Amino acid sequence: MRALATIVAMLCGCARGSGAAVVVPPRQPPPSRAPLSERGDVEIGLGAVTTAVAAALVGVGTFEAVRAARVREACRSGAMSEIDETVVCSGPLGGDPFVAAVVSSSLSFAFAVPIAVGGGFLLRRGIVARKAWKSGQPGNKMSLRPWSNGQTHVGLTFGLRF
């Protein structure tokens, strides 16, 4: 009967333990598993993408500028069949295709500048974060790691971190 009362009291939470309490420290992630934003990976990735977009816009702007010069020269000389059959000297609404090409080129260059500046800032922030993260890492630059497929193959992998 006494054992039954003890079990019921423990299940209800009525019994108080008299032993010492065990304090478990909170679990912290290992230093090599830092979040991506602390290592600068996100900033470097976004900076690379935005810089590539800016470079593509500069390429489009350059192509349109060269095309505008070709269209202007072909329309002035009157020898359109010798250069390109697709060159027309009036747009579908009666406008000048040279002006349209210049506007397109200018817009490409105008949008490329702020995108390139933003990409540069992101790359700089990512590189600074990466350097700060690497400075807090252990100094082991080289490592030898054994491996096995669990059956017959074994090996040794050499790692170099720089």
Side-chain angles (χ1 to χ4, degrees), residues 47-62 108-109 111-113 115-116:
V49 168
T50 54
T51 304
V53 168
L57 283 173
V58 168
V60 168
T62 304
S108 293
F109 288 135
F111 281 115
V113 170
I115 291 173

Side-chain angles (χ1 to χ4, degrees), residues 121-132:
F121 283 142
L122 280 168
L123 284 173
R124 181 181 178 276
R125 180 179 169 142
I127 290 170
V128 167
R130 174 59 62 108
K131 284 182 180 177

Side-chain angles (χ1 to χ4, degrees), residues 27-78:
R27 188 172 181 187
Q28 297 178 356
S32 64
R33 298 284 185 189
L36 293 176
S37 61
E38 289 181 13
R39 295 188 318 204
D41 292 345
V42 174
E43 289 86 357
I44 290 174
L46 288 175
V49 168
T50 54
T51 304
V53 168
L57 283 173
V58 168
V60 168
T62 304
F63 173 76
E64 288 294 329
V66 170
R67 185 174 157 271
R70 264 192 15 225
V71 167
R72 170 60 61 100
E73 186 61 36
C75 289
R76 281 189 180 166
S77 68

Side-chain angles (χ1 to χ4, degrees), residues 67 70-71 80 83-89:
R67 185 174 157 271
R70 264 192 15 225
V71 167
M80 294 179 355
I83 297 175
D84 193 1
E85 296 88 26
T86 62
V87 174
V88 292
C89 290

Side-chain angles (χ1 to χ4, degrees), residues 15 20 54 67 93-94 116 132-133 153:
R67 185 174 157 271
L93 299 175
W133 176 74
H153 295 89

